[in-house]
């Protein structure tokens, strides 16, 4: 089964990029070696986001992410795992889970 | 009493049979439908031919065959069907660790399901209770229970929650959820948070039955602790309410009516147990050791409360034990630091103030407790206590 793993981070907290990128490199390598990784990317800050809505045929663009929450989507992975427990085990290893939160959702085929 | 053999088999074997079918079919709904078919067939056949030698195995085989028919007629033909038809007849009994019921415990209590869904699923699937019975026990509507179960099953299937017992390394993380659900069932039964009765006997008995099954399958010290706690607590159940349904506090209970067989069984389990439930079981065992309330070893109870992780309820109970060991004023001082949004806090304060002879303050505390209490029997108890002070 494929699972989308979304990593939410508090953007107001300054990140230690050097440490973080090496943690993520290690983590990503492990995912690749285990054959679990299907896709993944880091997103730029939510200040670069634009949200689109169409209401009554009118296109509305707003500056910023869909939800004004403290924690914003910062990146994602797509795992291929046997079941949820396996996906959760990998998600718990994600460096982002230590400070922010990681949501795991199965993909509809 | 039920004399219908099918009812007896249902009570004894439902959890085992359903767990086996879910294991075979990998589908909660199909397993339940097929088992319902098998019960219907059994109702007619057993009356004519008598009960088979291994009723559980008979039900599994019949339900499996019905499941094959259902898959076929629904044209849900896939590799699963071929595999199922090939599967040898399931054995009537299995080794402890491989028991499907154990897998079902962990699946129903998977941490990715909400607590209420876990409770509903476990009662439904392992206890064999109908959604109506679950609803009645928790005083919620049948459609609420139905919805929780449907959603939980959908998540189990959709999110790929596996039907398995966690490995040794994970067991320590996963077992507490299973124990917590059973404990929750028991506490809700033993002191109903709302409603006209103090005790819902059905829930207490179901919780004990489930913890016995779990203990048989997984004799871990943490499970022994829970089972011991439930047995030692349940032993006092009959003494907690008098003949007209009024609450009787521990010190006024007729100790002769405590169930000695349950106490003995609980005490034996305590010795091989560990964890927070085991500590609480040890406290219950100290109470049952005392032939009279005055002979209770309160200092030991204070010490045992000190071994539990601090929480408002633990602090509250510890304060009461300290009051019994060292006088009500010492208990009252500790209560000042307890923050708990429940009638139990002012009720405990009222009791200690009464013991300390501070009548006017006690009456005020009873009134605070009365504002918060939800259970009718507890309300009457508090009213009675208050009127003793004012007349």
């Amino acid at each position: 089964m494929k699972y989308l793993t979304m990593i939410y981070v508090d953007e107001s907290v300054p990140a230690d990029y050097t440490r973080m990128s090496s943690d993520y490199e290690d983590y990503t390598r492990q995912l690749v070696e285990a054959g679990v990784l299907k896709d993944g990317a880091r997103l730029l800050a939510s200040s670069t986001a634009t949200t689109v809505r169409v209401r009554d045929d009118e296109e509305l663009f707003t500056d910023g992410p869909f939800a004004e929450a403290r924690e914003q989507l910062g990146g994602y992975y797509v795992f291929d795992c046997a079941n949820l427990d396996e996906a959760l085990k990998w998600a718990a290893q994600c460096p982002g889970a230590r400070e922010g939160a990681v949501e795991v959702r199965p993909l509809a085929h | 009493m039920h004399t219908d053999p099918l009812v007896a088999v249902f009570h004894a074997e439902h959890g085992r049979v359903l767990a086996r079918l879910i294991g075979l079919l990998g589908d909660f709904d199909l397993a339940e439908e097929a088992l319902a078919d098998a019960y219907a067939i059994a109702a007619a056949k057993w009356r004519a031919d008598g009960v088979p030698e291994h009723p559980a195995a008979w039900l599994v085989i019949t339900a499996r065959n019905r499941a094959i028919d259902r898959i076929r007629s629904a044209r849900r033909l896939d590799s699963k069907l071929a595999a199922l038809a090939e599967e040898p007849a399931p054995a009537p009994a299995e080794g402890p660790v491989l028991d499907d019921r154990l897998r079902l415990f962990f699946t129903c209590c998977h941490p990715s399901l909400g607590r209420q869904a876990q409770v509903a699923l476990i009662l439904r699937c392992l206890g064999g209770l109908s959604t109506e019975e679950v609803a009645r026990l928790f005083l919620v509507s049948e459609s609420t229970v139905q919805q929780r179960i449907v959603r939980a099953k959908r998540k189990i299937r959709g999110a790929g929650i596996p039907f398995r017992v966690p490995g040794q390394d994970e067991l320590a993380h996963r077992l507490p959820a299973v124990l917590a659900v059973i404990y929750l069932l028991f506490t809700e039964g033993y002191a109903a948070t709302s409603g006209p009765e103090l005790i819902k006997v059905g829930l207490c008995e179901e919780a004990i039955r489930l913890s016995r099954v779990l203990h048989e399958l997984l004799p871990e010290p943490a499970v022994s602790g829970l089972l011991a706690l439930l047995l030692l607590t349940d032993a006092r159940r009959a003494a907690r309410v008098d003949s007209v349904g009024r609450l009787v506090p521990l010190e006024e209970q007729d100790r002769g009516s405590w169930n000695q067989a349950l106490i003995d069984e609980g005490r034996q389990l305590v010795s091989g147990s560990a964890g927070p439930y085991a500590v609480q079981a040890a406290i219950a065992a100290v109470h049952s050791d005392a032939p009279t309330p005055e002979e209770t070893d309160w200092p030991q109870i204070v010490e045992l409360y000190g071994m539990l992780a601090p929480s408002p309820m633990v602090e509250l109970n510890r304060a009461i034990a300290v009051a019994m060991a060292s006088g009500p004023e010492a208990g009252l001082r500790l209560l000042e630091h307890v923050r708990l949004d429940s009638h139990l806090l002012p009720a405990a304060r009222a009791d200690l103030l009464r013991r300390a002879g501070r009548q006017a303050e006690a009456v005020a505390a009873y009134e605070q407790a009365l504002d918060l209490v939800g259970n009718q029997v507890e309300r009457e108890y508090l009213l009675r206590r208050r009127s003793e002070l004012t007349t």
Side-chain angles (χ1 to χ4, degrees):
Chain A
M1 271 182 96
K2 291 204 180 67
Y3 293 88
L4 177 63
T5 301
M6 294 166 276
I7 302 147
Y8 290 88
V9 289
D10 185 346
E11 293 182 331
S12 65
V13 177
D16 176 354
Y17 282 106
T18 23
R19 202 204 71 215
M20 233 174 56
S21 55
S22 85
D23 285 356
Y24 269 104
E25 254 172 51
D26 286 349
Y27 176 59
T28 310
R29 188 167 351 98
Q30 288 172 39
L31 289 170
V32 171
E33 281 167 7
V36 166
L37 188 71
K38 289 289 137 195
D39 194 7
R42 182 169 78 85
L43 306 188
L44 292 182
S46 66
S47 57
T48 62
T50 306
T51 302
V52 182
R53 294 176 176 84
V54 179
R55 298 289 181 273
D56 297 327
D57 289 332
E58 193 191 349
E59 293 172 352
L60 303 166
F61 301 109
T62 41
D63 178 22
F66 169 61
E68 291 290 348
R70 195 169 60 86
E71 281 160 332
Q72 289 293 340
L73 187 61
Y76 72 94
Y77 287 103
V78 175
F79 296 162
D80 192 356
C81 291
N83 56 47
L84 182 64
D85 281 358
E86 201 186 297
L88 293 177
K89 214 179 243 173
W90 280 110
Q93 309 283 317
C94 176
R98 293 199 293 264
E99 273 142 27
V102 174
E103 179 180 340
V104 178
R105 293 259 291 270
L107 297 187
H109 318 289
Chain B
M1 278 306 289
H2 298 293
T3 48
D4 185 340
L6 186 59
V7 174
V9 169
F10 177 87
H11 280 294
E13 305 287 0
H14 180 83
R16 185 198 304 273
V17 171
L18 185 61
R20 181 83 192 107
L21 287 169
I22 292 170
L24 277 172
L25 302 165
D27 183 326
F28 274 65
D29 289 323
L30 182 60
E32 284 188 323
E33 286 162 14
L35 182 54
D37 290 348
Y39 282 131
I41 298 166
K45 199 161 169 59
W46 294 7
R47 202 158 291 142
D49 305 348
V51 179
E53 195 181 346
H54 299 292
W58 188 96
L59 285 168
V60 170
I61 294 163
T62 307
R64 185 198 60 173
N65 292 339
R66 286 296 302 143
I68 293 172
D69 291 347
R70 277 175 175 271
I71 297 171
R72 219 175 248 148
S73 64
R75 294 182 192 282
R76 285 189 275 178
L77 258 168
D78 54 14
S79 57
K80 183 130 228 165
L81 180 59
L84 261 180
E86 296 287 306
E87 182 97 7
E94 283 198 353
V97 179
L98 287 171
D99 194 296
D100 293 292
R101 285 172 298 172
L102 194 56
R103 282 191 269 248
L104 194 50
F105 267 111
F106 282 95
T107 307
C108 290
C109 298
H110 197 274
S112 71
L113 298 171
R115 183 49 46 88
Q116 289 175 322
Q118 296 176 340
V119 165
L121 269 185
I122 213 161
L123 283 174
R124 183 90 173 78
C125 297
L126 277 151
L129 269 59
S130 68
T131 49
E132 192 200 337
E133 286 170 308
V134 177
R136 210 182 316 129
L137 284 171
F138 285 95
L139 301 170
V140 294
S141 74
E142 205 182 327
S143 65
T144 305
V145 175
Q146 189 65 45
Q147 223 169 29
R148 276 181 200 153
I149 289 175
V150 167
R151 249 190 251 129
K153 284 184 193 162
R154 204 179 289 151
K155 180 155 183 185
I156 290 171
R157 189 206 292 238
I161 291 175
F163 183 68
R164 64 174 196 123
V165 178
Q168 264 314 319
D169 52 329
E170 285 170 277
L171 202 60
H173 294 293
R174 295 281 169 97
L175 187 56
V178 178
L179 300 179
V181 165
I182 297 175
Y183 182 65
L184 178 76
L185 293 176
F186 184 83
T187 49
E188 179 58 25
Y190 200 69
T193 44
S194 56
E197 288 162 302
L198 181 67
I199 301 169
K200 293 176 190 158
V201 177
L203 262 186
C204 292
E205 285 175 350
E206 195 50 44
I208 288 178
R209 203 179 66 79
L210 286 169
S211 62
R212 279 190 197 280
V213 171
L214 184 65
H215 185 252
E216 183 191 313
L217 301 172
L218 197 67
E220 298 266 327
V223 185
S224 308
L226 178 70
L227 181 56
L229 174 62
L230 301 195
L231 295 174
L232 288 163
T233 311
D234 199 57
R236 303 201 292 257
R237 190 175 66 199
R240 286 181 73 227
V241 186
D242 69 12
S243 55
V244 286
R246 291 185 305 187
L247 187 147
V248 183
L250 183 63
E251 61 187 32
E252 291 168 23
Q253 287 174 12
D254 168 17
R255 293 178 179 231
S257 69
W258 288 358
N259 185 327
Q260 199 55 47
L262 291 185
I263 290 175
D264 292 343
E265 194 187 347
R267 297 175 53 79
Q268 281 196 339
L269 284 162
V270 169
S271 58
S273 66
Y277 299 112
V279 176
Q280 294 179 67
I283 292 170
V286 174
H287 281 298
S288 32
D289 275 347
T292 65
E294 294 72 33
E295 288 166 89
T296 305
D297 185 352
W298 288 105
Q300 199 193 340
I301 292 179
V302 171
E303 200 177 308
L304 286 165
Y305 273 119
M307 291 166 65
L308 289 167
S311 77
M313 268 316 284
V314 168
E315 296 307 313
L316 176 76
N317 286 322
R318 190 168 164 270
I320 295 170
V322 166
M324 299 307 284
S326 320
E329 297 290 350
L332 284 166
R333 276 195 295 279
L334 286 177
L335 277 188
E336 280 169 27
H337 307 289
V338 179
R339 298 281 168 272
L340 180 67
D341 188 21
S342 157
H343 70 284
L344 294 172
L345 179 56
R349 210 172 51 238
D351 189 53
L352 297 189
L353 288 166
R354 179 178 65 83
R355 287 172 200 271
R358 290 157 66 176
Q359 286 211 4
E361 291 166 87
V363 170
Y366 277 120
E367 255 142 38
Q368 273 182 299
L370 282 162
D371 282 341
L372 294 171
V373 72
N375 181 283
Q376 196 56 36
V377 176
E378 286 186 282
R379 162 176 298 279
E380 279 159 21
Y381 172 76
L382 293 168
L383 282 168
R384 207 160 70 234
R385 280 292 195 209
R386 193 192 55 176
S387 71
E388 281 167 13
L389 290 174
T390 49
T391 50

